[in-house]
Amino acid sequence: MDSHLIYLDNNATTPCDPRVVDAMLPWFFENPGNAASRNHPFGWKAEEAVDYAREQVAKLINADSKEIIFTSGATESDNLALKGIYEMYSRKGNHIITVKTEHKAVLDSCNRIEKMGGEVTYLDVNREGLIDLQALENAIRPTTVLVAVMWANNETGVIQPMKEIGAICARHGVLFFSDATQAVGKIPVDPREVGVHLMAFTSHKMYGPKGVGALYVSRKNPRVKVTAQLDGGGHERGMRSGTLNVPAIVGFGKAAEIALHEMAQDTERLSRLRDKLESSLMQLEETYVNGNRAHRMPHVTNISFKHVEGEGLMMTFNQHIAVSSGSACTSASLEPSYVLIALGLGDDLAHSSIRFSLGRFTTEEDIDYTIESLSKGVNHMRDLSPIWEMYKEGVDLENVKWSEH
Ligand SMILES: *Cc1c(COP(=O)(O)O)cnc(C)c1O
């Protein structure tokens, strides 16, 4: 048995880069200060470290450091942006536009806003995972305060047409929020350039520590404000109270600095490995890539192996290879992925999907081993499958009546 352990689930979380860990270590014991303590050197040093990290994070997205609000992660940033804008701009209107393939942190915040009396439009996507710009423009009302569209999708890697969406929002005087968690640190992301006014992202998806994230809030043209969702000491310009997690923020800053320097080389290497993985697996019969392949993150591929159940396929490689299946995304339930359903996949194709997300520490050997194991696994599952046998015999599976659900 091969004792290889291969991690291809970098969209769920990335390992913390050892250089990030090194940068964090002095901030646990040697430098214990609270960045809000104004009357002694411990506090000043911590504040200085936070300021430096804020510059590093801001630089990665070409923003001003005053536009960075530190939070506990992208979930909190999504909640703060959506609920904070809804509250702050309630006199202007109560309507928000978002998309069916957003992360749960966005969709569930929108659900909450609907319960509080807001109105939300959930836009469809096409088979490629892209929104229709005309449908977006048609959905805008005089009461629309915010358009929320993610930069890149966590399941498929599909990148939305950010610049075009930004132009529509600008034309109608509507604020534009983006959950850019999957894009920041991996591809160039510049909110000002595309007309994004608020943007959520997180450290642990870009080789930093878990439990720290940021919300970018534009300070000019326009100057945007959000109503705080946590009340207290008034940290982070009054938008997010709570003692700052200094070691994690220092690590986040270091991760941003490394990402800025190494993005181009990581992208080149990972897109080559991703393409190798994808084209090798595509040689298996009845195999489909989900989502637009041209407008997509360089390190992700989401593939459906028709008539092979994704969870079962994962069992065939005995936890040697960490990937994510299209049925496991929402907790323990075996509901098919709502993202793939929104793309128009049937339950069968959604259930047979596997997401491979490569990362900075993925090697060529990892990919070669994965190609071999996956190909064997798919063939093995199909050899055992009466459905595959029926398919090979030319039975029209769409019109077979199954007894289960
Ligand atoms: C991971 C993820 C989140 C949640 O981030 P946390 O920092 O874990 O709260 C939100 N949105 C997207 C698109 C993600 O991929």
Side-chain angles (χ1 to χ4, degrees), residues 11 73-76 78 103 105 150 152 154 179 181-182 202 204-205:
N11 277 17
T75 299
E76 187 188 335
D78 286 339
H103 191 270
M150 73 200 315
N154 42 304
D179 177 342
T181 304
Q182 292 290 344
T202 196
H204 77 97
K205 304 258 173 103

Side-chain angles (χ1 to χ4, degrees), residues 147-344:
V147 167
V149 181
M150 73 200 315
W151 206 293
N153 187 269
N154 42 304
E155 291 191 34
T156 59
V158 168
I159 300 170
Q160 296 294 345
M162 298 304 289
K163 223 172 191 157
E164 289 77 2
I165 299 167
I168 292 170
C169 293
R171 199 151 65 234
H172 293 269
V174 173
L175 292 174
F176 182 14
F177 161 63
S178 183
D179 177 342
T181 304
Q182 292 290 344
V184 171
K186 320 266 177 64
I187 58 171
V189 166
D190 181 338
R192 202 170 351 223
E193 182 188 55
V194 301
V196 160
H197 307 108
L198 302 109
M199 190 175 86
F201 52 111
T202 196
S203 154
H204 77 97
K205 304 258 173 103
M206 47 180 272
Y207 311 98
K210 295 168 181 51
V212 63
L215 181 66
Y216 160 85
V217 183
S218 163
R219 260 171 78 85
K220 52 176 196 272
N221 308 321
R223 185 187 180 95
V224 176
K225 278 173 128 183
V226 292
T227 302
Q229 301 298 305
L230 288 177
D231 297 313
H235 309 72
E236 299 299 274
R237 298 174 33 234
M239 290 192 249
R240 201 276 186 182
S241 288
T243 299
L244 291 175
N245 183 349
V246 178
I249 288 171
V250 167
F252 189 11
K254 184 68 187 178
E257 183 191 293
I258 296 170
L260 188 61
H261 289 126
E262 300 184 358
M263 187 182 297
Q265 72 189 56
D266 279 353
T267 293
E268 195 194 291
R269 197 180 68 85
L270 292 179
S271 63
R272 192 183 62 75
L273 290 180
R274 187 272 312 269
D275 291 348
K276 179 180 187 182
L277 173 67
E278 189 170 273
S279 59
S280 304
L281 294 177
M282 288 297 283
Q283 286 171 18
L284 297 164
E285 275 177 90
E286 293 291 305
T287 299
Y288 304 92
V289 173
N290 298 314
N292 186 292
R293 291 168 78 175
H295 302 283
R296 190 169 52 147
M297 295 297 291
H299 63 286
V300 187
T301 179
N302 186 309
I303 303 180
S304 286
F305 304 93
K306 201 168 186 183
H307 307 311
V308 174
E309 205 271 309
E311 290 283 306
L313 177 58
M314 281 166 64
M315 308 273 209
T316 67
F317 33 86
N318 274 323
Q319 278 119 34
H320 280 343
I321 305 173
V323 291
S324 165
S325 93
S327 355
C329 284
T330 29
S331 73
S333 70
L334 282 184
E335 287 289 300
S337 145
Y338 68 88
V339 170
L340 297 181
I341 297 295
L343 262 65

Side-chain angles (χ1 to χ4, degrees), residues 308-384:
V308 174
E309 205 271 309
E311 290 283 306
L313 177 58
M314 281 166 64
M315 308 273 209
T316 67
F317 33 86
N318 274 323
Q319 278 119 34
H320 280 343
I321 305 173
V323 291
S324 165
S325 93
S327 355
C329 284
T330 29
S331 73
S333 70
L334 282 184
E335 287 289 300
S337 145
Y338 68 88
V339 170
L340 297 181
I341 297 295
L343 262 65
L345 270 71
D347 278 14
D348 55 341
L349 274 182
H351 272 302
S352 68
S353 73
I354 300 273
R355 176 187 72 187
F356 303 88
S357 46
L358 286 60
R360 186 179 289 158
F361 304 103
T362 305
T363 65
E364 180 114 31
E365 293 74 54
D366 290 345
I367 295 304
D368 291 341
Y369 181 85
T370 302
I371 292 167
E372 202 192 307
S373 297
L374 255 290
S375 305
K376 271 195 208 149
V378 169
N379 288 330
H380 175 72
M381 297 274 292
R382 284 177 174 170
D383 285 346
L384 296 178

